[in-house]
Short mmCIF file of all heavy atoms in Angstrom, two decimals:
data_model
loop_
_atom_site.label_atom_id
_atom_site.label_comp_id
_atom_site.label_asym_id
_atom_site.label_seq_id
_atom_site.Cartn_x
_atom_site.Cartn_y
_atom_site.Cartn_z
N VAL A 19 94.93 97.48 113.49
CA VAL A 19 93.79 98.20 113.56
C VAL A 19 92.62 97.35 113.17
O VAL A 19 92.55 97.10 111.93
CB VAL A 19 93.88 99.59 113.01
CG1 VAL A 19 92.58 100.42 113.29
CG2 VAL A 19 95.02 100.36 113.36
N SER A 29 91.80 106.68 109.86
CA SER A 29 92.76 107.82 110.38
C SER A 29 93.70 107.38 111.42
O SER A 29 94.97 107.81 111.43
CB SER A 29 91.84 108.95 111.11
OG SER A 29 91.17 109.55 110.06
N ARG A 50 87.51 97.07 99.58
CA ARG A 50 87.54 98.29 100.11
C ARG A 50 88.83 98.51 100.99
O ARG A 50 89.43 99.57 100.98
CB ARG A 50 86.25 98.57 100.92
CG ARG A 50 86.14 99.95 101.43
CD ARG A 50 84.94 100.24 102.29
NE ARG A 50 85.10 99.56 103.54
CZ ARG A 50 84.20 99.54 104.54
NH1 ARG A 50 83.09 100.31 104.37
NH2 ARG A 50 84.35 98.96 105.68
N GLU A 56 96.19 101.00 100.06
CA GLU A 56 97.07 101.66 99.10
C GLU A 56 97.07 103.14 99.25
O GLU A 56 98.14 103.70 99.05
CB GLU A 56 96.35 101.27 97.63
CG GLU A 56 96.52 99.88 97.19
CD GLU A 56 95.46 99.52 96.20
OE1 GLU A 56 94.86 100.50 95.52
OE2 GLU A 56 95.59 98.42 95.59
N ALA A 68 96.48 94.62 104.28
CA ALA A 68 95.10 94.56 104.44
C ALA A 68 94.76 93.17 104.61
O ALA A 68 95.10 92.18 103.87
CB ALA A 68 94.49 95.18 103.12
N ILE A 69 94.01 92.80 105.75
CA ILE A 69 93.65 91.52 106.12
C ILE A 69 92.16 91.32 106.41
O ILE A 69 91.64 92.18 107.14
CB ILE A 69 94.51 91.10 107.32
CG1 ILE A 69 96.02 91.12 107.20
CG2 ILE A 69 94.09 89.57 107.78
CD1 ILE A 69 96.81 90.84 108.33
N LEU A 87 100.26 88.09 113.21
CA LEU A 87 101.40 87.68 113.99
C LEU A 87 102.62 87.27 113.07
O LEU A 87 103.68 87.35 113.54
CB LEU A 87 101.03 86.57 114.92
CG LEU A 87 100.10 87.04 115.99
CD1 LEU A 87 99.54 85.80 116.77
CD2 LEU A 87 100.72 88.02 117.02
N THR A 107 72.37 101.82 112.11
CA THR A 107 72.62 102.73 110.96
C THR A 107 71.64 103.87 110.93
O THR A 107 71.94 104.96 110.49
CB THR A 107 72.51 101.84 109.83
OG1 THR A 107 73.54 100.84 109.81
CG2 THR A 107 72.87 102.67 108.44
N ALA A 133 86.96 91.11 120.46
CA ALA A 133 88.02 91.81 121.17
C ALA A 133 88.75 91.02 122.07
O ALA A 133 90.01 91.14 122.23
CB ALA A 133 87.28 93.02 121.92
N CYS A 136 91.12 88.90 119.92
CA CYS A 136 92.33 89.68 119.40
C CYS A 136 93.33 89.96 120.42
O CYS A 136 94.40 89.81 120.19
CB CYS A 136 91.65 91.01 118.80
SG CYS A 136 90.71 90.87 117.29
N THR A 151 100.65 98.21 123.55
CA THR A 151 99.52 99.10 123.83
C THR A 151 98.17 98.37 123.33
O THR A 151 98.26 97.97 122.16
CB THR A 151 99.68 100.41 123.17
OG1 THR A 151 100.75 101.15 123.67
CG2 THR A 151 98.45 101.29 123.37
N ILE A 152 97.13 98.37 123.96
CA ILE A 152 95.91 97.93 123.55
C ILE A 152 94.85 98.90 123.73
O ILE A 152 94.70 99.39 125.04
CB ILE A 152 95.57 96.63 124.22
CG1 ILE A 152 96.44 95.46 123.87
CG2 ILE A 152 94.06 96.15 123.77
CD1 ILE A 152 96.26 94.12 124.76
N LEU A 161 78.68 103.52 128.82
CA LEU A 161 78.43 103.98 130.18
C LEU A 161 76.95 104.01 130.57
O LEU A 161 76.77 103.84 131.76
CB LEU A 161 79.00 105.48 130.39
CG LEU A 161 80.40 105.59 130.05
CD1 LEU A 161 80.84 107.13 130.13
CD2 LEU A 161 81.37 104.83 130.98
N SER A 168 69.56 98.06 123.18
CA SER A 168 70.16 97.04 124.21
C SER A 168 71.34 96.20 123.52
O SER A 168 72.27 95.85 124.21
CB SER A 168 69.16 96.18 124.71
OG SER A 168 68.42 95.50 123.58
N LEU A 177 82.71 95.27 126.88
CA LEU A 177 83.98 95.69 126.34
C LEU A 177 84.61 96.64 127.32
O LEU A 177 85.93 96.47 127.58
CB LEU A 177 83.83 96.55 125.03
CG LEU A 177 85.16 96.83 124.39
CD1 LEU A 177 85.92 95.64 124.01
CD2 LEU A 177 84.92 97.81 123.14
N GLU A 209 89.62 118.07 105.84
CA GLU A 209 89.83 118.48 104.61
C GLU A 209 88.77 118.19 103.62
O GLU A 209 88.57 118.75 102.58
CB GLU A 209 91.09 117.88 104.03
CG GLU A 209 91.17 116.39 103.89
CD GLU A 209 91.83 115.72 105.05
OE1 GLU A 209 91.79 116.37 106.18
OE2 GLU A 209 92.42 114.64 105.00
N ALA A 219 71.53 115.49 116.73
CA ALA A 219 70.67 115.33 117.77
C ALA A 219 71.42 114.70 118.94
O ALA A 219 72.30 113.90 118.76
CB ALA A 219 69.41 114.50 117.36
N ARG A 226 75.58 106.75 118.99
CA ARG A 226 76.36 106.36 118.06
C ARG A 226 77.74 107.14 118.02
O ARG A 226 77.91 108.05 117.38
CB ARG A 226 75.79 106.53 116.68
CG ARG A 226 74.62 105.76 116.43
CD ARG A 226 74.82 104.30 116.75
NE ARG A 226 76.21 103.90 116.12
CZ ARG A 226 76.18 103.37 114.94
NH1 ARG A 226 75.03 103.43 114.27
NH2 ARG A 226 77.14 103.05 114.48
N GLU A 228 81.18 105.74 118.01
CA GLU A 228 82.37 105.22 117.41
C GLU A 228 82.18 104.85 115.98
O GLU A 228 81.07 104.56 115.54
CB GLU A 228 82.93 104.06 118.28
CG GLU A 228 82.46 102.68 117.98
CD GLU A 228 81.06 102.41 118.17
OE1 GLU A 228 80.34 103.34 118.53
OE2 GLU A 228 80.63 101.26 118.22
#
Side-chain angles (χ1 to χ4, degrees):
V19 184
S29 291
R50 185 184 69 177
E56 290 168 2
I69 301 175
L87 293 171
T107 303
C136 292
T151 301
I152 299 175
L161 303 176
S168 56
L177 181 65
E209 61 267 24
R226 295 312 311 277
E228 89 289 14

